[in-house]
Amino acid sequence: LQHGRSLEGPDDMARIFGEICDSVPSGTNPVMFFKFCFADFYGNNLAQLQGIANQVIQTAQNQGLRLIIGNALPVVAAETTPELVTEHRAYNAWLTTRASETSNVWIYDMYGVLSNSAGALKPEYQTSDSHPNDAGYDALDATYFPFLDSVFSSSIGRAHV
């Protein structure tokens, strides 16, 4: 798990993802996970995020790696705008289509788990900002491991991190 690396902006994500993929030992068959932070969506940068996701997908394909992409993360209602919800939903729909056209790429629907019908983070999953609380992470755990089982048809260890 690579987390907390210094970024100048979303465009650095593809570069860092590539560096991480380059460090994968040959002869292994890992599954890479990629997602944007809720802060990476501005309500007007859909094309930029799609371009980054395409770079990440291409890097994984070039390296022969399996890739799971977490879709957009909702934000608290006070920070949710119609433009942001439209962007989240457009990104998620595009991502699902993109993955269906690409081998070894799957989408984990984090948005579907965490958002309410208005496209905001469900109140029961909120901290003091747009990060999920323990109940939100529990909800993700409850769907993520069955998702992995359905994708890879295997039993995966279940440790909450």
Side-chain angles (χ1 to χ4, degrees):
L1 178 64
Q2 296 285 329
H3 181 269
R5 299 212 21 204
S6 180
L7 299 171
E8 295 294 319
D11 290 325
D12 274 356
M13 290 181 180
R15 177 186 55 79
I16 290 172
F17 183 82
E19 290 172 4
I20 294 166
C21 289
D22 287 344
S23 70
V24 172
S26 62
T28 62
N29 193 17
V31 176
M32 307 302 281
F33 185 89
F34 177 84
K35 75 165 186 66
F36 289 110
C37 178
F38 65 86
D40 295 321
F41 290 84
Y42 311 131
N44 64 0
N45 66 336
L46 180 60
Q48 176 192 25
L49 298 176
Q50 289 171 331
I52 295 165
N54 274 326
Q55 290 176 46
V56 166
I57 291 168
Q58 190 60 55
T59 297
Q61 294 286 294
N62 290 347
Q63 300 269 356
L65 303 172
R66 298 172 294 168
L67 177 64
I68 295 171
I69 301 177
N71 63 6
L73 294 171
V75 297
V76 295
E79 298 174 12
T80 299
T81 65
E83 295 81 17
L84 184 60
V85 171
T86 296
E87 183 171 73
H88 282 164
R89 291 177 176 163
Y91 175 76
N92 293 345
W94 172 84
L95 196 58
T96 299
T97 299
R98 180 69 171 88
S100 73
E101 301 167 347
T102 310
S103 64
N104 290 325
V105 176
W106 298 270
I107 306 305
Y108 174 55
D109 186 13
M110 301 170 82
Y111 190 81
V113 173
L114 298 175
S115 69
N116 63 22
S117 61
L121 183 63
K122 292 177 182 176
E124 63 268 29
Y125 297 152
Q126 294 179 11
T127 59
S128 60
D129 61 17
S130 292
H131 290 93
N133 60 20
D134 286 345
Y137 285 112
D138 288 345
L140 291 171
D141 283 353
T143 58
Y144 187 66
F145 292 108
F147 165 79
L148 288 178
D149 286 342
S150 72
V151 168
F152 300 111
S153 300
S154 65
S155 180
I156 306 295
R158 287 159 175 77
H160 181 73
V161 180

